[in-house]
Amino acid sequence: MAVAGEQMVTLLLAGPSGAGKSETGNTLSGRNDFVAADSASSVTQRCQAAGFFLAGDGFTRKPGQLVDTPGFGDSDADPKQQLALFEQFKDLLPGGVSGMLFVVPFGRFGAPIQRSMDLFFDLLGDEAAKDVAILVVTHCGDNPQEKEAVVRASTALARYLPFFRGGLACIDNKVCAATAQNELFQRIQKLLQCTQGRKWECRHLREAQEYRASMQQRIARLPIDLQPPANTQLAALHRGDATREQVFRAVTYQEAMQRHRLEEERCRQEREAEAQHQAELARAAERHRRELVRQQQEAEKRRQQELEQQRRLQQEQQRLQQARELERQKEQQRLEQARELERQREKSRREAASLERRRARLEEERRETEARRREASRQRRRNESIATGEKQKRADERLPGRGEGMRVLQRARNRSAPTRGFQAEEKE
């Protein structure tokens, strides 16, 4: 059936061996992308792909892809082998077919060509395939219009011409390749207009799409660095430069590489986990060692602190003892000083008492001396008074008139004489 396709135009070249399919492909691409030779046997042994640009109105050009298939329909060839070779196109055009160009040489409209057409449409097995089929007649020389009339009038092709609803194109790839390219482009443009860009698909193409999608999914699950080789093989399959077996081997190898890498990664992770475990054990041991060292250091620090406290306590005790000893010494000194002071005071008291006794003795002695002196003075005055009385008495005796008066005066003097003598002694 026909499905809506992508922007790229995809063309399939089919036909019997030696019909000029490869030359027609080179005419469309404008390059020698396909190996072509004037031979009745098939030169193309497998499907090949090449890019081209479909010229449109004005300067517009559409990208496209050509797929050249091996020739089939030979009587001496194995039909199954021909079918397998032809079905390779499904891997080159998984997105569908915009047009199928069935190429036959002019003048060879006999039984082999008819057998090839029957086999071609039997292989397609879809009525919708006729909508995108174009009959291309090669080796038409420099007058393709006459050859087209001959082809249309051929009784051998009368039954098959209605199958090619895309039209008929008579060209000659060798006489004038540009004219042939222009004729093919016009037929293809008309075909695209009729189909409105819709592409034809069959079960083979859908199976190829599923295969390609499955391969892409398998490739997408690969790591980024392992995808390019598998994508290269898949792209080569799309170009016809590789087979499914090669793509399968490439993808399988990359998957094996992925599994190997995953296994290595798992082993590396296990090694890293083991290394981390060992490192963690080493860190735990180091932490335990450091904890022991810390505890030992703390114990040593506590011991040092205790020793320091003991030393300080001893120093404090020594200081207190020294202070007490010093205080005791000071107290002893004070007591000694007090005793000395007391002794001094006692000595001073004794000396004072001695002085007082001495002073008293001296005073007593002075008093006694004074008393003796007074006594001596009284005695002397008494003696003097006696002597004076006697002198007076003798004088009175010598002077009788005055005698009585002088005796009265003398007696008055004698009465006052002791008092004046005492006062004089007091003054002294």
Side-chain angles (χ1 to χ4, degrees), residues 69-81:
T69 60
F72 62 92
D74 298 337
S75 58
D76 55 348
D78 186 3
K80 293 183 179 180
Q81 184 179 3

Side-chain angles (χ1 to χ4, degrees), residues 159-172:
R159 186 171 66 90
Y160 300 100
L161 288 177
F163 294 168
F164 298 95
R165 298 170 186 171
L168 171 64
C170 295
I171 61 173
D172 196 306

Side-chain angles (χ1 to χ4, degrees), residues 4-242:
E6 300 175 355
Q7 185 179 2
M8 178 178 291
V9 178
T10 53
L11 300 178
L12 179 66
L13 297 173
S17 301
K21 299 185 298 299
S22 299
E23 286 184 352
T24 303
N26 292 334
T27 300
L28 286 171
S29 64
R31 302 181 303 272
N32 294 324
D33 294 325
F34 306 108
V35 179
D38 293 333
S39 175
S41 60
S42 178
V43 178
T44 303
Q45 299 299 324
R46 59 185 179 86
C47 292
Q48 298 177 354
F52 79 104
F53 287 94
L54 177 63
D57 298 336
F59 297 98
T60 59
R61 302 174 65 190
K62 293 182 179 180
Q65 183 174 358
L66 293 169
V67 175
D68 186 16
T69 60
F72 62 92
D74 298 337
S75 58
D76 55 348
D78 186 3
K80 293 183 179 180
Q81 184 179 3
Q82 290 181 359
L83 178 61
L85 292 175
F86 177 74
E87 286 183 351
Q88 290 177 358
F89 81 92
K90 63 185 179 182
D91 294 321
L92 281 70
L93 300 172
V97 180
S98 301
M100 292 182 289
L101 280 64
F102 192 85
V103 183
V104 297
F106 181 78
R108 293 169 55 186
F109 302 145
I113 299 299
Q114 296 177 10
R115 188 167 55 252
S116 297
M117 290 185 180
D118 291 335
L119 181 59
F120 176 69
F121 286 106
D122 289 342
L123 290 175
L124 297 180
D126 191 351
E127 186 68 21
K130 300 176 182 179
D131 295 334
V132 295
I134 300 176
L135 180 61
V136 179
V137 181
T138 60
H139 304 93
C140 291
D142 56 356
N143 194 359
Q145 289 79 10
E146 294 181 359
K147 299 300 190 297
E148 182 177 353
V150 173
V151 171
R152 293 185 181 279
S154 174
T155 57
L157 298 178
R159 186 171 66 90
Y160 300 100
L161 288 177
F163 294 168
F164 298 95
R165 298 170 186 171
L168 171 64
C170 295
I171 61 173
D172 196 306
N173 296 311
K174 294 183 178 180
V175 174
C176 186
T179 304
Q181 185 186 51
N182 188 34
E183 177 67 20
L184 291 173
F185 281 171
Q186 289 180 3
R187 291 296 179 184
I188 294 170
Q189 287 288 356
K190 290 181 180 179
L191 175 63
L192 295 177
Q193 291 176 1
C194 294
T195 60
Q196 297 179 354
R198 297 174 66 84
K199 295 183 179 181
W200 173 80
E201 277 189 351
C202 62
R203 59 182 181 86
H204 303 290
L205 295 176
R206 287 192 292 272
E207 188 271 335
Q209 290 178 359
E210 295 175 357
Y211 175 79
R212 186 178 182 86
S214 65
M215 288 295 105
Q216 288 177 344
Q217 290 177 358
R218 292 174 63 180
I219 293 173
R221 288 193 291 268
L222 294 173
I224 299 298
D225 58 333
L226 296 181
Q227 293 181 6
N231 285 325
T232 300
Q233 287 295 328
L234 190 61
L237 176 66
H238 187 61
R239 294 192 307 269
D241 297 334

